[in-house]
Amino acid sequence: MNCKPSFAIIGAGKVGSAIGVLLKERGYAPVGVYSRSKTSARRLADQLHSKLYKNAVDAAKAADLVFITTTDREIGTTAAIIARKGGCKPGQIVIHTSGALASDVMEPVREQGAWAVSVHPLQSFASIESAKENLPGSSFALEGDEQALPLAEKMVKDLQGRYFIIKAADKPLYHAAAVIASNYLVSLMHLSASIYRQLGLDEEQARDALFPLIQGTLNNIAKVGPAQALTGPVARGDASTVKGHISALSRMNWRTQEVYRSLGLYTVGLALENGSITTNEGAALSNIFLEVENCEQKGNYCRLSAHETGSQTNSHVNRLRLSDGYVGRCFWYRRHPGWGFPR
């Protein structure tokens, strides 16, 4: 006897399709599929051996669990249509899988007595097949009605995942961190490969050269954590090498140069955190990354917090507050052509 709830998928994209297939394998009962794309909806309905519906409302009516796995911009509208046309009922659980949006976007279903919860898999999905492979073992961020959380937790465990619960107000910050870790890692890989292509390597050669380095770095992070896994010129306080990099990168576009400088500044803070460089070395490196020309500067002032530099925040009249908690002397910044910072 199957004691697990029935479910419907509304939005047969990569995430919705992967979740649907995996839940069916775990004993959940698929009862319906709807998607704007008839092709993807038919494909998923055939995989699940479930009914293909012509609208989201009828698909939702048939299920205990309703997954709205559309694009983020369509989640609120879809939930409102389902609620307005009688597609949800008391005790039913409506789930979206957006990382950026809280469950509040589905408020209309709550007004009809259903419970709303967001279940976001902290994973990247390049295809339906990769989504099915990557979901088991992934972490899920849960947020929503307390009545719905126990079942959401059980569902994640059935998917062989782990979970943590966050507040609705924290969803944007949570998602920003995920974007940095995943999307921006892809951008960094693309940037590194593009530099190697300047040296004559083709895309495949660049990727093959860089991937073992990336994999080794990930292995180190897994073993000792990001702070202790840091290596390279910043971790050694090697200002000369950093200057050489900046000089070489000056031949490339300003975006590449800005990425290198911004990440370098952040890495200075990481090197200070793990104790691999001194405060003076951190200050010197920060000034290099900031391209700072000091006016009558006798000390090492930079974009470091007061406790990192050891200076007093109000000890000199000629201080410039750079951001909350950060102070320094007056600096001249070398601007980009056209007298302005890049947009």
Side-chain angles (χ1 to χ4, degrees):
M1 180 178 177
N2 183 15
C3 297
K4 294 182 179 178
S6 62
F7 69 91
I9 301 291
I10 298 174
K14 291 176 286 190
V15 176
S17 296
I19 288 176
V21 171
L22 289 172
L23 285 178
K24 182 177 185 297
E25 292 176 358
R26 305 300 190 268
Y28 290 73
V31 294
V33 174
Y34 168 76
S35 185
R36 287 197 308 171
S37 169
K38 293 181 180 179
T39 301
S40 61
R42 171 68 65 185
R43 184 186 304 116
L44 180 58
D46 289 344
Q47 285 182 288
L48 299 179
H49 303 291
S50 66
K51 184 175 180 179
L52 176 62
Y53 284 90
K54 294 182 179 179
N55 62 74
V57 177
D58 289 339
K61 284 180 180 179
D64 300 317
L65 303 178
V66 180
F67 287 87
I68 301 179
T69 50
T70 62
T71 61
D72 283 13
R73 64 177 177 273
E74 297 174 315
I75 291 173
T77 301
T78 302
I81 292 173
I82 291 171
R84 186 172 68 248
K85 296 187 177 181
C88 54
K89 55 187 179 290
Q92 189 180 41
I93 298 177
V94 184
I95 302 166
H96 78 61
T97 57
S98 167
L101 300 177
S103 59
D104 296 346
V105 72
M106 301 186 297
E107 188 63 30
V109 307
R110 287 175 170 152
E111 296 171 358
Q112 301 302 315
W115 296 322
V117 63
S118 68
V119 179
H120 179 250
L122 194 56
Q123 186 55 263
S124 61
F125 305 112
S127 67
I128 293 175
E129 287 305 313
S130 68
K132 288 168 57 180
E133 293 174 5
N134 294 339
L135 267 175
S138 298
S139 290
F140 291 71
L142 310 182
E143 174 276 319
D145 294 328
E146 289 185 9
Q147 300 91 330
L149 287 175
L151 195 145
E153 293 167 6
K154 184 180 186 305
M155 182 185 68
V156 169
K157 290 179 180 177
D158 287 338
L159 291 171
Q160 298 177 332
R162 296 167 292 184
Y163 69 86
F164 52 90
I165 299 172
I166 62 175
K167 300 176 182 177
D170 292 335
K171 281 300 286 286
L173 196 59
Y174 154 80
H175 194 242
V179 166
I180 292 170
S182 177
N183 306 156
Y184 293 176
L185 175 60
V186 173
S187 296
L188 287 174
M189 179 66 176
H190 181 274
L191 176 59
S192 294
S194 70
I195 295 174
Y196 275 11
R197 288 198 297 273
Q198 296 285 324
L199 309 180
L201 281 69
D202 61 31
E203 183 172 348
E204 185 176 356
Q205 288 175 318
R207 186 172 62 247
D208 290 345
L210 289 166
F211 192 79
L213 172 64
I214 294 171
Q215 188 62 62
T217 302
L218 291 175
N219 292 342
N220 291 339
I221 293 171
K223 290 178 181 177
V224 298
Q228 296 305 316
L230 182 64
T231 61
V234 172
R236 298 190 302 267
D238 187 351
S240 177
T241 295
V242 170
K243 288 180 180 178
H245 292 170
I246 291 174
S247 176
L249 291 170
S250 66
R251 301 191 296 270
M252 304 196 70
N253 63 62
W254 66 263
R255 287 186 179 87
T256 299
Q257 297 175 53
E258 289 300 310
V259 168
Y260 181 85
R261 292 180 185 279
S262 296
L263 290 175
L265 279 171
Y266 187 90
T267 305
V268 170
L270 186 57
L272 286 167
E273 178 184 323
N274 69 20
S276 64
I277 60 174
T278 66
T279 300
N280 286 342
E281 288 172 329
L285 287 167
S286 293
N287 284 342
I288 294 170
F289 286 120
L290 285 167
E291 275 197 315
V292 170
E293 294 176 359
N294 301 332
C295 294
E296 301 177 359
Q297 181 174 315
K298 297 180 180 178
N300 285 321
Y301 294 93
C302 61
R303 191 173 297 190
L304 296 173
S305 61
H307 80 271
E308 288 173 337
T309 61
S311 61
Q312 297 296 317
T313 58
N314 59 352
S315 62
H316 199 286
V317 70
N318 196 30
R319 294 288 173 79
L320 172 66
R321 184 167 294 278
L322 301 174
S323 63
D324 288 346
Y326 292 88
V327 295
R329 297 237 181 162
C330 288
F331 294 144
W332 292 104
Y333 290 84
R334 297 175 188 165
R335 301 192 175 200
H336 289 267
W339 292 95
F341 292 106
R343 294 175 181 170

